[in-house]
Amino acid sequence: MSALTLRAAVTAFSPLAERIGADIGYGTAVVGIFGMLPTAMFGVAGLCTPMLVRRFGLERTVLIAMLLAGAGSLVRVFMANTAELLVFSGVALLGMGVGNVVIPPLVKRYFADQLAAISSLYIVMVQLSTVIPAFVAVPLADGHGWRISMGVWALVGFAAAVPWLVVLRARRGRDLVDTTALPAEPAAAAGKVWRSPVAWGMAGMFGMTSLTTYAMFAWLPMILSDAGASAGFGGSMVGLFALMGLIPALGAPTVVSRMRNPFPVVVGCMVLFATAFVGLLVAPMSVPLLWVVLLGLGPSTFPMALTLINLRTRTPRGSAALSGFTQGVGYAIACTGPLMFGMLHDWTGGWTAPFALLFVALGVLLAGAWQACKPRMLEDSW
């Protein structure tokens, strides 16, 4: 339930952006700000969540995250101006960003002997929370208005808070802050993440995957439109791109957990990415389904990175520290992807320079994965 909350505020809004703008009065520039807001708030959450975990523990932190996600998603639909909509969208996204960080260490804490299976489950739920709101947003808005279409997803956030209330009640009086193998100075220990090649490798792997993926979510329809496709076809290809993410979500955690060093899988993902980029650049409408299928399989490095957060740490505290650093730095980098891709297109009038940017991102991703995939633990490398 928590994982099903983690993308709903993003993809419930995107298909309705123009309709909402026409209602409350904002233009295309503000749509760009809304486009950058998710990764920006996820980055803030990634850097701040380890402090919340040290203060409140994993369970209370994820409860706070679900309540923020639900409250922000609900309150924003009652707003009548752009600034208020942005603020409360930010609240919802901050809650989802905190959830992004704390779910991997919670998996490690409660299911250390089933990391692959439970990681697959929650990553599939994250993918569904990306796909389902996008597909139902417009039909719901047509039938009941955009406020109902967006506000209904607040119920998922509130529902996801209920199991954590049960867990907290069951564990009342017991220490909810993990103290296993903690150094004497927890704050200093968390700071050591910044000096670990494992952490920087994870951040590069995760950040470049997210940058590339969000750039494609934002610009794939226009790439196809410039090649002669209809707006409806471009939208359906974005849906296919998102749906393809379910395949690696199901399989990647198991594959990664069974390999001592899964770097060869990353190389395979880069081949898929590169083939799709060349196809979309040179002949986008020759076999667009093939290009989009390959493009959707390339980000298999996303579930790989989430799984490696647990496989490369010894304790839930280490997992929380690595998760926060990976997602904080990664999403901070990723939020520049759609913007830079679009700016390069505007400056050059074509798609060659924007795709060159993505090839550079693939190089950084490979370098990061080389460090992240090595069979060693975070706690041994700081």
Side-chain angles (χ1 to χ4, degrees), residues 22-82:
D23 187 13
I24 68 174
Y26 61 73
T28 54
V30 175
V31 175
I33 295 174
F34 274 108
M36 291 183 64
L37 190 62
T39 47
M41 295 308 298
F42 290 168
V44 170
L47 297 175
C48 295
T49 301
M51 293 183 288
L52 293 175
V53 172
R54 287 195 295 273
R55 175 66 180 84
F56 299 109
L58 289 168
E59 291 82 357
R60 293 191 187 98
T61 301
V62 76
L63 173 62
I64 293 168
M66 295 303 103
L67 293 174
L68 283 174
S73 296
L74 179 63
V75 174
R76 71 174 180 169
V77 303
F78 294 103
M79 298 298 102
N81 63 62
T82 304

Side-chain angles (χ1 to χ4, degrees), residues 89-312:
S89 292
V91 170
L93 291 165
L94 180 63
M96 295 175 191
V98 173
N100 285 336
V101 176
V102 294
I103 289 180
L106 281 163
V107 170
K108 189 174 187 69
R109 179 166 190 165
Y110 286 94
F111 304 98
D113 58 340
Q114 302 175 59
L115 287 180
I118 304 300
S119 294
S120 292
L121 175 62
Y122 92 76
I123 295 169
V124 166
M125 291 298 105
V126 171
Q127 293 293 338
L128 289 176
S129 76
T130 304
V131 173
I132 296 173
F135 276 113
V136 305
V138 172
L140 275 176
D142 289 342
H144 305 284
W146 68 264
R147 297 182 189 274
I148 294 293
S149 179
M150 290 213 307
V152 69
W153 296 102
L155 298 176
V156 181
F158 291 131
V162 174
W164 295 112
L165 288 170
V166 174
V167 170
L168 286 166
R169 180 179 177 84
R171 300 193 65 178
R172 184 180 298 171
R174 296 166 59 189
D175 183 17
L176 287 167
V177 180
D178 179 68
T179 56
T180 305
L182 282 182
E185 298 291 336
K192 291 179 181 178
V193 174
W194 296 83
R195 300 201 295 271
S196 167
V198 175
W200 282 107
M202 289 290 299
M205 180 179 176
F206 185 91
M208 292 301 105
T209 300
S210 299
L211 182 151
T212 302
T213 301
Y214 278 92
M216 286 292 96
F217 269 126
W219 292 100
L220 181 60
M222 185 174 290
I223 293 168
L224 296 174
S225 175
D226 279 2
S230 66
F233 181 80
S236 66
M237 290 300 97
V238 172
L240 177 61
F241 178 39
L243 278 171
M244 292 307 300
L246 287 172
I247 296 174
L250 285 166
T254 300
V255 171
V256 171
S257 65
R258 292 179 178 178
M259 296 181 70
R260 187 169 180 270
N261 187 333
F263 183 72
V265 180
V266 177
V267 174
C269 293
M270 297 306 95
V271 172
L272 294 174
F273 261 140
T275 304
F277 291 165
V278 171
L280 288 171
L281 179 61
V282 176
M285 293 306 292
S286 58
V287 278
L289 285 173
L290 175 61
W291 306 143
V292 174
V293 166
L294 297 178
L295 188 67
L297 293 175
S300 300
T301 46
F302 173 75
M304 287 179 66
L306 292 178
T307 306
L308 283 168
I309 286 171
N310 282 328
L311 294 177
R312 295 296 179 261

